[in-house]
């Protein structure tokens, strides 16, 4: 077991060694604010570095010794990703004599997750040179890191090694990796993984023991009787068995019984819980019905000298956010930011967006997250501020949104089109259309010219408020300022017309936009308007749009025409449709077949025969058409005789 102070320093030591060993040249400051802050912190405690790695082992060793006692916890391995794993790196790390804990290895692997090769090199070094003994949680993380096409060989080597050591792939890991393989179209690996997983379950000797334990625990309330039955089983407790039982009990919804089992094996059977099992029970208890027990276990774990590992944090945080337990998610974030295993920068943004996405966002939680993030020497990105601002404006909390903008300005970010567009959207949603319109003038006065997206949001806001004529005035003003409409804006305007059942007006607008602005509407826009026109019995206009679609190289949208004509149209209408559909002299046989079948479905057999009579000879004689008419109950004569 590692002490608190040892655990607090291990991750930053390893990360510090990697950083220095890889730094074969002067580190250039990034243009981004966050990296500027990180580099400033780094330079405050890191001595000048040798330009040639391995050029002076003594110099590097002294540098590492100084880093060993650094209290800085903002170290990052981002720079490491641009360098290769070398003998010098391994020698320096080995010479550092830094004993690795579970939390440290988990942290470094998570940092290297986007580079499977470096993750593999570090993991092998940790085992071979440092004596690290991996567990099922580490192996599960490695499998997720290796679940890529470029590292699939390492994946299968690792999964076999995991099995040989008696570790079990849990269902969560299996499903996660299977989903990754499916997304990458790795069909053979999906099948192989399924077979491997099923065989592993079948061959795992522990499986039956786990089932027996779970059956005893779930049948009754926890008490003396349950403990007596478990004691009679003569269980040989291991880290792996504890994790398996906990996960099975969670799957069956017995969270507090899982906690009782966890305590029982420690107090009665003398099993010494470690970082892995503590992290395992935390993953079980992070639910609303057991959240008090969760926080009690966090304290107990801390007292025992263990930390929440970074993979566990990510999973628990996601669960808390999904369950809208945002106060607990923020408290957990604060806890982790005070530990040596600080979450990746993206976790701050994700948490802020979850808070901001609530119907009534709690700004106190927002600023708690920001305060903790910046206290670690980081700077909020503009995208993070935008996420908060967007959520506040969308629910009409404009005063709070303005405070966010002020905070953003103080951080050095000026409002831009994204910021203003979000405010325009919120004002329109709140039916404050005049203010929204004037805001575009304010933007120009402040030197931020509205772009097409901002205009589109304003126009859509008017359309959504059933103020289509005012939306057209906004559009006219936009055109005066020499903005060109796009397919998105056209779709917005047309939907505004259609919401007022002004179908012909929408048709005229589309025609004008195509001819005047050379605009190419979306295919979905054409389809929607065609269907609306046919619903108003405007076949000629709908056919006109079908011809326009063809000119703009869209596939013909024939189905609604066939249905309409078979119900309401004439034989001449059908012939006109067939002529429009064809890019050659005659449409395809299948096109004729669809029209004939549709007439049959509507019991318009005579119209079908009349159409057949007017068809070209090769259509009348085609076997598919002959069979179609021959199978029709209404056909009293063969196609040839017709």
């Amino acid at each position: 077991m590692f002490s608190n102070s040892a655990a607090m320093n291990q991750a930053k030591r390893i990360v510090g060694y990697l950083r220095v060993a890889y730094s074969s040249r002067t580190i250039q400051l990034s243009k981004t604010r966050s990296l500027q802050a990180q580099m400033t912190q780094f330079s405050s405690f890191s001595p000048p570095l040798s330009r040639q790695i391995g050029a002076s082992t003594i110099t590097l060793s002294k540098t590492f010794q100084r880093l060993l006692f650094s209290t800085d916890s903002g170290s990052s391995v981002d720079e490491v990703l641009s360098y290769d794993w070398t003998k010098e790196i391994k020698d320096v790390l080995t010479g550092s004599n830094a004993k690795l804990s579970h939390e440290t290895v988990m942290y470094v692997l998570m940092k290297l997750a986007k580079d499977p090769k470096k993750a593999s090199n570090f993991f092998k070094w940790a085992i071979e040179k440092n004596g690290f003994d991996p567990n099922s949680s580490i192996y599960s993380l490695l499998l997720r890191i290796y679940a890529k096409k470029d590292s699939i060989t390492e994946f299968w080597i690792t999964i076999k090694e995991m099995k040989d050591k008696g570790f079990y792939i849990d269902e969560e890991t299996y499903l996660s990796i299977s989903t990754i393989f499916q997304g990458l179209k790795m069909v053979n690996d999906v099948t192989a993984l399924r077979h491997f997983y099923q065989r592993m379950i079948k061959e795992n000797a522990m499986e039956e023991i786990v089932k027996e334990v779970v059956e005893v625990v779930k049948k009754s309330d926890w008490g003396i009787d349950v403990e007596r039955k478990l004691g009679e089983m003569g269980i040989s407790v291991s880290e792996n068995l504890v994790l398996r039982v906990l996960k099975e009990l969670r799957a069956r919804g017995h969270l507090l019984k899982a906690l009782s089992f966890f305590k029982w094996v420690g107090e009665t059977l003398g099993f010494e819980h470690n970082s892995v099992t503590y992290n395992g029970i935390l993953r079980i208890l992070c639910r609303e019905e057991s959240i008090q027990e969760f926080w009690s276990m966090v304290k107990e774990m801390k007292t025992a000298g263990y930390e929440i590992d970074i993979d566990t944090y990510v999973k628990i945080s996601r669960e808390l956010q999904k369950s809208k337990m945002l106060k607990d998610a923020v408290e957990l974030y604060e806890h982790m930011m005070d530990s040596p295993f600080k979450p990746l920068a993206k976790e701050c943004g994700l948490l802020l967006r979850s808070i901001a996405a609530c119907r009534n966002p709690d700004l106190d939680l927002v600023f708690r997250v920001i305060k903790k993030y910046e206290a670690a020497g980081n700077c909020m990105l503009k995208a993070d501020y935008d996420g908060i601002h967007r959520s506040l404006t969308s629910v009409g909390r404009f005063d709070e949104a303005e405070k966010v903008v002020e905070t953003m300005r103080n951080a050095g970010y000026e409002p831009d089109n994204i910021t203003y567009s979000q405010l325009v959207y919120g004002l329109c949603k709140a039916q404050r259309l005049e203010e929204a319109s004037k805001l575009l003038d304010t933007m120009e006065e402040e030197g931020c010219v509205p772009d097409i997206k901002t205009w589109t949001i304003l126009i859509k806001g008017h359309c959504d408020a059933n103020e289509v004529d005012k939306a057209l005035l906004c559009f006219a003003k936009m055109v005066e300022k020499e903005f060109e409409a796009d397919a998105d804006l056209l779709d917005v305007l047309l939907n505004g017309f259609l919401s007022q059942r002004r179908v012909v007006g929408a048709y005229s607008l589309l025609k004008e936009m195509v001819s005047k602005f050379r605009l190419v509407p979306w295919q979905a826009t054409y389809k929607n308007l065609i269907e609306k026109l046919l619903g108003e019995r405007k076949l000629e206009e709908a056919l006109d749009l079908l011809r326009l679609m063809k000119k703009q190289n869209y596939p013909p949208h024939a189905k609604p025409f066939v249905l309409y004509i078979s119900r309401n149209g004439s034989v001449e209408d059908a012939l006109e449709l067939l002529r429009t559909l064809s890019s050659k002299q005659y449409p395809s046989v299948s096109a004729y077949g669809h029209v004939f079948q549709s007439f049959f479905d509507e019991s318009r057999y005579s119209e079908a025969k009349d159409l057949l009579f007017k068809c070209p000879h090769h259509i009348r004689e085609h076997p598919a058409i002959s069979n179609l008419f021959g199978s029709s109950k209404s056909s009293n004569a063969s196609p040839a005789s017709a």
Side-chain angles (χ1 to χ4, degrees):
M1 185 180 78
F2 292 89
S3 67
N4 267 333
S5 59
M8 286 287 287
N9 288 318
Q10 282 168 7
K12 54 193 174 189
R13 287 173 181 171
I14 293 299
V15 169
Y17 301 148
L18 289 171
R19 181 200 295 272
V20 177
Y22 274 119
S23 297
S24 60
R25 53 185 169 81
T26 302
I27 297 176
Q28 299 296 319
L29 295 181
S30 167
K31 291 182 180 179
T32 64
R33 293 178 55 82
S34 58
L35 282 181
Q36 282 179 336
Q38 291 175 14
M39 294 300 102
T40 300
Q41 281 199 321
F42 177 72
S43 63
S44 68
F45 72 87
S46 175
L49 305 178
S50 170
R51 285 184 175 273
Q52 296 297 321
I53 184 166
S56 174
T57 305
I58 296 176
T59 301
L60 285 173
S61 296
K62 289 181 177 178
T63 300
F64 292 148
Q65 290 301 315
R66 285 194 287 271
L67 280 173
L68 276 170
F69 299 102
S70 168
T71 57
D72 178 85
S73 59
S75 300
S76 167
V77 294
D78 295 338
E79 299 85 20
V80 176
L81 299 179
S82 61
Y83 294 92
D84 295 328
W85 183 270
T86 65
K87 181 178 182 300
E88 288 84 353
I89 299 296
K90 291 186 285 186
D91 289 344
V92 170
L93 285 174
T94 302
S96 68
N97 295 319
K99 193 66 177 175
L100 295 173
S101 70
H102 160 80
E103 299 98 321
T104 302
V105 173
M106 185 73 79
Y107 183 79
V108 175
L109 287 176
M110 284 285 283
K111 283 281 191 173
L112 297 172
K114 293 184 178 180
D115 194 324
K117 184 173 178 59
K118 286 195 177 71
S120 175
N121 286 329
F122 170 75
F123 181 67
K124 290 174 182 175
W125 168 81
I127 295 174
E128 297 168 3
K129 301 298 182 182
N130 194 273
F132 177 73
D133 188 16
N135 51 61
S136 59
S137 299
I138 294 290
Y139 273 118
S140 295
L141 174 59
L142 269 177
L143 291 180
R144 296 201 301 273
I145 292 173
Y146 293 155
K148 300 177 177 66
K149 290 182 179 180
D150 293 342
S151 53
I152 193 62
T153 301
E154 286 289 343
F155 174 88
W156 288 112
I157 291 173
T158 303
I159 204 172
K160 183 180 184 303
E161 179 183 315
M162 184 178 183
K163 180 177 181 294
D164 291 343
K165 290 187 177 182
F167 292 116
Y168 174 85
I169 301 176
D170 61 70
E171 184 180 16
E172 181 183 4
T173 301
Y174 163 68
L175 293 175
S176 174
I177 294 171
S178 182
T179 300
I180 293 172
F181 283 163
Q182 290 172 11
L184 296 173
K185 310 297 183 185
M186 299 167 67
V187 180
N188 293 337
D189 293 288
V190 171
T191 303
L193 179 62
R194 182 175 66 252
H195 291 161
F196 192 97
Y197 177 69
Q198 292 171 346
R199 187 167 65 252
M200 181 180 280
I201 293 176
K202 188 176 181 180
E203 296 175 357
N204 195 324
M206 191 183 295
E207 185 71 14
E208 291 304 317
I209 300 173
V210 171
K211 286 182 179 178
E212 291 177 19
V213 171
V214 171
E215 280 300 313
V216 170
V217 173
K218 76 175 188 177
K219 281 184 178 179
S220 310
D221 291 338
W222 190 274
I224 296 175
D225 188 47
V226 171
E227 292 182 359
R228 178 182 57 78
K229 289 179 181 178
L230 290 176
E232 292 172 352
M233 293 175 63
I235 302 169
S236 177
V237 186
S238 66
E239 173 189 294
N240 207 17
L241 182 132
V242 172
L243 292 178
R244 291 279 293 108
V245 172
L246 294 179
K247 289 174 181 176
E248 288 297 321
L249 289 172
R250 177 186 64 181
R252 289 164 172 75
H254 300 298
L255 308 184
L256 297 181
K257 287 184 178 181
L259 176 60
S260 296
F261 175 80
F262 179 88
K263 291 180 177 179
W264 178 76
V265 296
E267 297 168 357
T268 304
L269 299 187
F271 177 76
E272 186 175 352
H273 286 294
N274 57 24
S275 179
V276 178
T277 54
Y278 271 115
N279 276 279
I281 189 64
L282 290 183
R283 296 188 188 200
I284 306 300
L285 297 175
C286 60
R287 304 293 192 279
E288 188 171 5
E289 60 267 37
S290 55
I291 195 63
Q292 289 184 341
E293 290 78 5
F294 169 85
W295 287 113
S296 295
M297 188 55 64
V298 169
K299 293 177 182 177
E300 179 182 322
M301 180 179 181
K302 186 82 172 176
T303 302
Y306 298 110
E307 299 284 347
I308 301 175
D309 71 51
I310 194 66
D311 191 43
T312 295
Y313 165 73
V314 170
K315 287 182 169 58
I316 293 176
S317 183
R318 297 287 189 277
E319 178 62 34
L320 295 174
Q321 291 176 52
K322 185 177 72 172
S323 303
K324 302 300 181 184
M325 299 168 65
L326 297 175
K327 188 172 182 289
D328 293 287
V330 170
E331 188 173 341
L332 180 64
Y333 181 78
E334 291 171 327
H335 175 89
M336 290 300 291
M337 290 299 285
D338 288 334
S339 81
F341 309 106
K342 291 177 170 49
L344 299 178
K346 70 175 183 178
E347 295 300 322
C348 173
L350 289 172
L351 181 53
L352 288 174
R353 283 191 284 276
S354 292
I355 299 170
C358 293
R359 179 168 295 180
N360 292 301
D362 187 337
L363 280 186
D364 180 57
L365 294 180
V366 168
F367 290 118
R368 278 172 60 182
V369 173
I370 294 174
K371 181 180 178 181
K372 211 65 180 177
Y373 183 72
E374 293 181 334
N378 303 306
C379 290
M380 292 281 291
L381 299 176
K382 184 177 179 300
D384 298 323
Y385 289 113
D386 284 336
I388 304 166
H389 183 258
R390 178 172 55 253
S391 298
L392 291 171
T393 53
S394 68
V395 295
R397 296 178 64 176
F398 301 109
D399 291 340
E400 291 96 329
E402 181 57 32
K403 291 178 183 178
V404 171
V405 173
E406 289 176 12
T407 304
M408 186 177 76
R409 274 196 170 105
N410 292 336
Y413 300 113
E414 287 298 319
D416 58 11
N417 264 297
I418 294 174
T419 313
Y420 283 112
S421 293
Q422 291 172 172
L423 183 53
V424 169
Y425 171 79
L427 290 170
C428 288
K429 188 177 179 182
Q431 302 287 301
R432 294 162 64 171
L433 301 177
E434 187 174 349
E435 290 177 64
S437 298
K438 289 180 178 178
L439 185 59
L440 271 71
D441 296 328
T442 302
M443 288 177 64
E444 290 191 4
E445 291 171 3
E446 295 186 1
C448 182
V449 179
D451 59 17
I452 185 65
K453 295 298 181 184
T454 310
W455 281 105
T456 300
I457 290 170
L458 177 64
I459 291 169
K460 185 177 187 303
H462 282 79
C463 289
D464 290 343
N466 206 31
E467 297 283 356
V468 178
D469 290 334
K470 289 184 178 179
L472 285 174
L473 291 176
C474 291
F475 173 66
K477 185 176 180 180
M478 185 196 86
V479 173
E480 286 178 7
K481 293 182 177 292
E482 300 183 350
F483 279 96
E484 291 187 2
D486 59 11
D488 189 17
L489 177 54
L490 174 60
D491 193 67
V492 165
L493 283 169
L494 293 182
N495 284 329
F497 273 84
L498 295 177
S499 69
Q500 295 185 341
R501 301 185 64 84
R502 295 161 64 178
V503 181
V504 176
Y507 161 76
S508 300
L509 177 61
L510 183 144
K511 290 277 289 182
E512 182 178 358
M513 296 282 273
V514 170
S515 62
K516 186 174 181 179
F517 296 100
R518 307 289 184 185
L519 194 146
V520 179
W522 288 341
Q523 184 179 9
T525 302
Y526 274 121
K527 288 182 176 181
N528 184 37
L529 187 49
I530 283 172
E531 290 168 13
K532 296 295 184 183
L533 285 167
L534 292 175
E536 296 288 329
R537 293 179 175 267
K538 301 293 182 182
L539 177 60
E540 183 178 344
E541 289 84 352
L543 284 170
D544 190 29
L545 291 188
L546 187 63
R547 298 184 191 99
L548 203 53
M549 284 186 76
K550 284 181 59 181
K551 286 183 181 179
Q552 295 184 331
N553 297 316
Y554 284 124
H557 186 46
K559 186 176 180 180
F561 287 95
V562 174
L563 292 174
Y564 174 83
I565 291 172
S566 65
R567 294 171 183 171
N568 308 299
S570 64
V571 173
E572 288 302 321
D573 292 333
L575 287 171
E576 182 60 28
L577 171 64
L578 289 166
R579 284 192 290 267
T580 302
L581 290 176
S582 176
S583 58
K584 303 176 183 178
Q585 186 175 1
Y586 297 108
S588 65
V589 174
S590 63
Y592 281 98
H594 289 314
V595 176
F596 287 132
Q597 184 62 59
S598 192
F599 272 125
F600 289 151
D601 292 342
E602 296 296 327
S603 300
R604 298 183 68 185
Y605 309 116
S606 60
E607 284 86 349
K609 290 180 183 178
D610 290 343
L611 177 60
L612 180 66
F613 180 76
K614 296 183 178 182
C615 285
H617 182 267
H618 75 279
I619 296 295
R620 294 202 304 271
E621 296 296 331
H622 197 280
I625 302 300
S626 298
N627 291 336
L628 184 62
F629 273 82
S631 63
S632 173
K633 295 180 181 180
S634 67
S635 182
N636 297 320
S638 68
S641 64

